[in-house]
Amino acid sequence: MPEVGTHVGSGKVRELYALDGDRLLLVASDRISTFDVVLPTEIPDKGRVLTGLSAFWFVRTGDLCANHLLAVRPDGRSLECRRLKMLPIECVVRGYLAGSGWKDYQASGEVCGHALPEGLRESDRLATPIFTPATKAETGHDENITREQASGLIGVERVAEVEAASLALYRFASDYAAERGIIIADTKFEFGIDEEGRLVLADEAFTPDSSRFWPADSYAPGAAQPSFDKQFVRDYCESLGWDKTDPGPELPEDVVAGTRARYVEAFERLTERSFDAYLDEPESVLR
Ligand code: Q0Z
């Protein structure tokens, strides 16, 4: 059997392989997307940063919720995972009003059936984090749904279970990150069910691709916040007047270097380890 197994899926910036009947390999590339377009220029080590962060969070949240992590590969960009039966919803938690949450609030005063107080501004912190499930769109954008719609897809009891797990995970990680100067404004989880019917956290956890990371020191509600990791890329793309359709622009080397440095900074602040030590020995992030 080949080391990476048979290819079973592609995301915009990740690949999925089957190792055997009950194990998968999740491989994070160095590709970066912005405005929903994958750019032709890679960010060196981005996939390793995201893989290391995901593994770090899986280990540290294992007592809050079981997860699919089995091992980190020596390449630092691949995770061996338990193969699960995936639930057909995205589990999003929002602690701040951004993205589609802000859009829906402006249109209706609600997000996924959560009525919010009047007068909130873009990027405001919510009094209490909210669980805002979404459909998994094969192509295009996930669509926010109410808990009733989620119940129709996975059942009332499973919704209660994923909501409680999602909120507990978000509270833990957002408190931890805030102490290290990073606001996790929102985050998206995917859960699966194991052979015994138990809920298991899958996919990636609290990476800058699955979450909005904001620098805490410049937080200023009332407008969109700069992204901790992708802001140089966005600013550069905006400066070109690119129409945000495929293909995207090549990135100049200073934008690549600055963006790589931001990913490494997020890794080092959150893990309290040097990224070079991770590159030397990826398994060290599990301890
Ligand atoms: C994750 C995805 C990616 C393409 C399926 N533990 C699991 N068991 C079963 N299925 C999955 C997982 Cl993580 C699973 N995805 C998302 C990831 C490339 C699609 F890297 N799809």
Side-chain angles (χ1 to χ4, degrees):
M1 149 138 12
E3 188 106 311
V4 294
T6 163
H7 188 246
V8 294
S10 290
K12 274 193 303 197
V13 302
R14 298 179 303 158
E15 304 296 334
L16 194 58
Y17 300 86
L19 292 170
D20 55 40
D22 37 45
R23 290 182 311 144
L24 297 175
L25 193 70
L26 247 167
V27 184
S29 74
D30 292 337
R31 297 192 292 275
I32 187 169
S33 68
T34 191
F35 306 112
D36 277 325
V37 173
V38 177
L39 300 181
T41 311
E42 296 191 332
I43 305 300
D45 294 322
K46 170 178 177 275
R48 292 190 175 90
V49 166
L50 269 63
T51 296
L53 273 176
S54 221
F56 171 83
W57 288 116
F58 280 136
V59 169
R60 273 128 194 109
T61 61
D63 56 346
L64 291 176
C65 183
N67 63 66
H68 72 165
L69 178 65
L70 295 172
V72 184
R73 287 274 173 101
D75 66 7
R77 65 169 70 255
S78 316
L79 297 182
E80 296 179 11
C81 306
R82 298 159 62 193
R83 190 173 208 158
L84 306 165
K85 188 146 180 61
M86 299 299 287
L87 295 178
I89 62 167
E90 307 276 6
C91 291
V92 177
V93 179
R94 301 173 188 277
Y96 293 75
L97 207 44
S100 68
W102 168 240
K103 271 208 169 71
D104 292 354
Y105 171 76
Q106 283 179 290
S108 69
E110 299 186 1
V111 186
C112 296
H114 298 272
L116 297 175
E118 282 181 47
L120 293 178
R121 299 161 297 172
E122 184 174 14
S123 308
D124 260 335
R125 185 174 204 227
L126 301 176
T128 286
I130 54 175
F131 175 69
T132 61
T135 56
K136 282 186 188 176
E138 279 304 308
T139 117
H141 276 118
D142 298 341
E143 199 178 326
N144 288 340
I145 56 176
T146 62
R147 68 180 301 115
E148 289 70 31
Q149 291 171 298
S151 300
L153 292 167
I154 65 171
V156 176
E157 292 200 355
R158 207 54 105 171
V159 170
E161 193 181 10
V162 295
E163 175 175 35
S166 297
L167 290 170
L169 289 163
Y170 176 78
R171 281 181 196 287
F172 172 81
S174 59
D175 287 353
Y176 177 97
E179 289 170 16
R180 289 152 185 87
I182 294 175
I183 293 172
I184 301 179
D186 52 39
T187 194
K188 179 174 85 181
F189 304 113
E190 291 197 33
F191 290 94
I193 306 298
D194 71 12
E195 304 276 66
E196 283 74 47
R198 284 181 299 233
L199 185 71
V200 180
L201 178 62
D203 206 58
E204 58 184 331
F206 301 110
T207 67
D209 278 6
S210 67
S211 313
R212 275 192 182 82
F213 284 15
W214 294 338
D217 62 1
S218 62
Y219 174 61
Q225 301 303 290
S227 160
F228 192 93
D229 46 300
K230 289 183 177 171
Q231 201 57 42
F232 295 149
V233 171
R234 292 192 185 148
D235 290 349
Y236 175 72
C237 289
E238 297 282 12
S239 80
L240 296 175
W242 166 50
D243 65 3
K244 296 169 190 172
T245 65
D246 199 46
E250 303 259 13
L251 301 175
E253 68 182 26
D254 62 316
V255 173
V256 171
T259 301
R260 182 185 182 282
R262 290 298 273 175
Y263 280 108
V264 170
E265 183 181 351
F267 178 96
E268 293 188 334
R269 280 209 216 175
L270 292 170
T271 66
E272 301 178 334
R273 317 290 174 87
S274 83
F275 184 61
D276 283 341
Y278 177 74
L279 293 178
D280 274 358
E281 192 196 353
E283 284 185 306
S284 63
V285 82
L286 305 177
R287 301 192 285 267

